[in-house]
Amino acid sequence: MSSSNKPTVLVVDDKENMRKLFSRMLGDAYAVTEAADGEQAIACLASCDFDVVVTDIQMPGADGFAVLREVKRRAPETEVLLVTAFASIPKAVEAIKEGAYDYLSKPFDPDEVALVVARALEKRRQGREVSSLKARLAVAPGLHGMLGESPAMRALHGLLSQVAARDLTVLLTGETGTGKELAARAVHRESPRTSKPFVAVNCGALPAELVESELFGHAKGAFTGATVAKPGLFEEAHGGTLFLDEIGDLPLSVQVKLNRALQEREVRRVGTTVPVKVDVRVVAATHRDLSAEVAAGRFREDLYYRLNVVTVRLPSLRERREDIPLLAMHFLARAGRPEVDSFTPEALRALSTYEWPGNVRQLENAVARAVAVAQGTRITPEELPPEVLTTPRAASTAPGVRATTESLAKLPYREAVDGARDTVSREYLTALMQEFGGNVTHAAERAGMERESLHRLLKRYGVRSDDFKRTE
């Protein structure tokens, strides 16, 4: 960045009129430096770190390829755009294989130039973010596996640590997939009971006829198949922590006995009246609104108040979007394919703007799926689950499309503007292809741009001209 805080662009061309043209097109938004040839450009690279380099391919002496190689040698994160005549497009494609971000074919449209430079800058920014994510992951603050640097997660870590020190019943609430079992384990490990057992059970997964036996145990002969006496989960967790996940799914008949077990600190195995004393800390969790369940008669009021000693709500992933890239890199590292070691900037952006109704669990599954189908070393948007690409948050709140003032105010300025531009561009291109039946030549004439430029925009926004071909 320059001292003016504008992104820096180096324009390299042996024709002064071309350099001046780029300076006029980019000067308002960028700090532009001009170089009259490849040698001068290479000298500039030695003294300044540029965000984007725009260079002509055909120049006397050191050409655009020489500039590209020097940029990638000195500053691999700097993005390079090649400027070429239509006849030299194969050379530009070759340059892209060597690391150039994109190319601009003459004559070019000023709006397209601004768009491509902006995207190159965004790729550089996000490339730096990926690099920093890898470094941060090694030292990321967390609580026994609960990764997160967002204010919401830092507050949660502090609250769980405080709660863990006191031997009280804890009720964890929040949407499905927010990591309630991880939170329960964190409470256990931070507590004085950490050396004792941690026993977890999903109440919703137990058959109704076996719930009581699983929780409290049974005597020999208590029912058909009970050939031996068996302790229940309360006894297994003696001295430690019992995690009752999805407690809102417990049958009412079992809720009565659970309430008594918590009150008396003892259980009675099915088939016997002999009480067994247990020393257990209970951490319960639910995605349901238990107060509403009580009002509806589906959950006992006395048990609700016995569980609701300390309630901790886990934030949804939508409330901690800052953590999405870090979590994605964490799941990537655990996925078992070391050769797939990062995401493209576009893929990270797609992950960060999706709504994630299934929260962290859905994100983990999405990354695992992407790793399984990845063709290269970086995960691309095309390798993400389709739903991640079809319902981005930015698109749903784009200005002038479907946004409200309130929803826009919740977005960073750049994200709101980028989302609006992406949405309008995609919808415009779709309408354009629909109008001309997929004929790119005629559509380019209407759009006022070169055919190759329109092709690149269609590819960038995922609009396939073949989908609009008309059959006679």
Side-chain angles (χ1 to χ4, degrees):
M1 297 288 249
S2 70
S3 58
S4 65
N5 291 324
K6 287 183 178 181
T8 54
V9 177
L10 175 62
V11 174
V12 189
D13 201 300
D14 59 326
K15 299 178 181 62
E16 183 179 7
N17 64 326
M18 292 300 296
R19 298 196 304 272
K20 298 305 179 187
L21 175 61
F22 275 107
S23 292
R24 285 198 302 273
M25 288 190 294
L26 302 174
D28 289 342
Y30 304 93
V32 180
T33 300
E34 298 180 20
D37 53 41
E39 285 82 1
Q40 187 177 343
I42 291 171
C44 289
L45 293 171
S47 59
C48 183
D49 180 22
F50 293 95
D51 293 305
V52 179
V53 174
V54 181
T55 179
D56 194 13
I57 291 183
Q58 302 286 355
M59 293 184 294
D63 62 7
F65 279 88
V67 174
L68 170 62
R69 294 182 189 113
E70 187 66 13
V71 169
K72 293 305 173 183
R73 185 182 73 83
R74 290 179 177 273
E77 291 181 346
T78 296
E79 298 299 339
V80 179
L81 298 173
L82 279 298
V83 180
T84 180
F86 182 80
S88 299
I89 284 179
K91 286 188 176 182
V93 173
E94 180 185 345
I96 289 174
K97 292 178 181 178
E98 291 194 28
Y101 173 69
D102 205 343
Y103 66 89
L104 298 164
S105 60
K106 303 175 185 176
F108 39 72
D109 180 84
D111 289 337
E112 183 194 1
V113 171
L115 177 63
V116 175
V117 171
R119 289 199 171 277
L121 181 66
E122 181 68 6
K123 183 180 178 184
R124 171 175 167 82
R125 185 189 68 79
Q126 292 185 330
R128 283 177 165 174
E129 182 178 325
V130 169
S131 298
S132 68
L133 280 174
K134 292 181 179 180
R136 285 161 49 202
L137 194 57
V139 294
L143 187 70
H144 302 290
M146 299 185 69
L147 283 178
E149 300 176 328
S150 62
M153 286 303 289
R154 289 180 184 273
L156 177 63
H157 295 161
L159 180 58
L160 290 176
S161 294
Q162 285 183 307
V163 168
R166 305 181 64 191
D167 204 30
L168 301 172
T169 301
V170 179
L171 178 62
L172 302 174
T173 65
E175 297 178 11
T176 297
T178 50
K180 291 188 279 291
E181 182 167 346
L182 270 180
R185 290 183 182 275
V187 168
H188 174 70
R189 290 170 183 167
E190 289 283 300
S191 76
R193 296 176 179 266
T194 184
S195 62
K196 300 298 183 180
F198 175 87
V199 178
V201 57
N202 186 329
C203 299
L206 294 174
E209 63 275 11
L210 297 180
V211 173
E212 188 177 348
S213 171
E214 285 293 319
L215 291 178
F216 309 125
H218 60 258
K220 180 180 178 180
F223 49 81
T224 302
T227 56
V228 295
K230 178 181 177 297
L233 297 177
F234 267 87
E235 291 180 69
E236 287 185 23
H238 183 73
T241 303
L242 177 61
F243 175 50
L244 301 174
D245 196 11
E246 296 302 348
I247 197 166
D249 293 341
L250 275 180
L252 283 169
S253 59
V254 179
Q255 292 179 29
V256 176
K257 297 178 179 179
L258 175 59
N259 185 55
R260 180 175 178 80
L262 295 176
Q263 177 181 336
E264 303 297 333
R265 293 185 172 272
E266 64 182 29
V267 296
R268 289 182 173 84
R269 295 182 181 180
V270 176
T272 180
T273 58
V274 179
V276 178
K277 287 292 182 181
V278 288
D279 174 22
V280 171
R281 179 185 195 166
V282 169
V283 178
T286 181
H287 72 281
R288 300 179 186 276
D289 180 348
L290 288 189
S291 61
E293 294 295 294
V294 169
R298 292 187 292 266
F299 200 84
R300 290 187 61 89
E301 186 175 23
D302 51 0
L303 177 58
Y304 170 62
Y305 288 117
R306 194 167 299 282
L307 293 171
N308 193 24
V309 178
V310 178
T311 299
V312 178
R313 177 185 172 274
L314 274 67
S316 68
L317 200 50
R318 298 182 299 282
E319 298 172 85
R320 44 181 293 223
R321 289 186 183 276
E322 311 97 300
D323 294 328
I324 291 176
L326 192 68
L327 288 167
M329 290 298 294
H330 171 66
F331 295 138
L332 179 65
R334 287 174 40 183
R337 285 188 67 187
E339 68 275 18
V340 183
D341 63 358
S342 63
F343 298 84
T344 65
E346 295 80 8
L348 267 184
R349 183 179 177 192
L351 292 174
S352 297
T353 54
Y354 181 57
E355 286 296 318
W356 299 112
N359 293 292
V360 179
R361 185 182 302 140
Q362 185 188 8
L363 173 62
E364 181 176 12
N365 292 339
V367 173
R369 185 259 193 197
V371 171
V373 301
Q375 298 297 308
T377 61
R378 300 197 301 170
I379 290 174
T380 66
E382 293 74 23
E383 291 159 345
L384 297 173
E387 64 271 14
V388 174
L389 304 178
T390 54
T391 55
R393 179 177 62 140
S396 65
T397 56
V401 183
R402 284 173 292 274
T404 64
T405 302
E406 293 77 11
S407 65
L408 279 179
K410 295 177 181 178
L411 297 177
Y413 173 77
R414 176 181 290 178
E415 187 174 321
V417 173
D418 284 352
R421 181 176 59 205
D422 289 351
T423 300
V424 172
S425 296
R426 189 176 294 108
E427 292 186 356
Y428 172 77
L429 293 169
T430 299
L432 194 64
M433 288 297 99
Q434 182 73 43
E435 172 73 16
F436 291 98
N439 188 310
V440 178
T441 300
H442 293 163
E445 291 175 0
R446 168 66 61 80
M449 64 175 64
E450 293 294 318
R451 191 174 186 277
E452 288 300 317
S453 298
L454 180 57
H455 261 306
R456 289 202 300 278
L457 287 175
L458 291 170
K459 182 178 180 181
R460 178 172 292 122
Y461 290 106
V463 179
R464 289 166 41 88
S465 59
D466 287 348
D467 293 341
F468 301 89
K469 296 290 185 185
R470 293 171 182 161
T471 56
E472 299 301 332

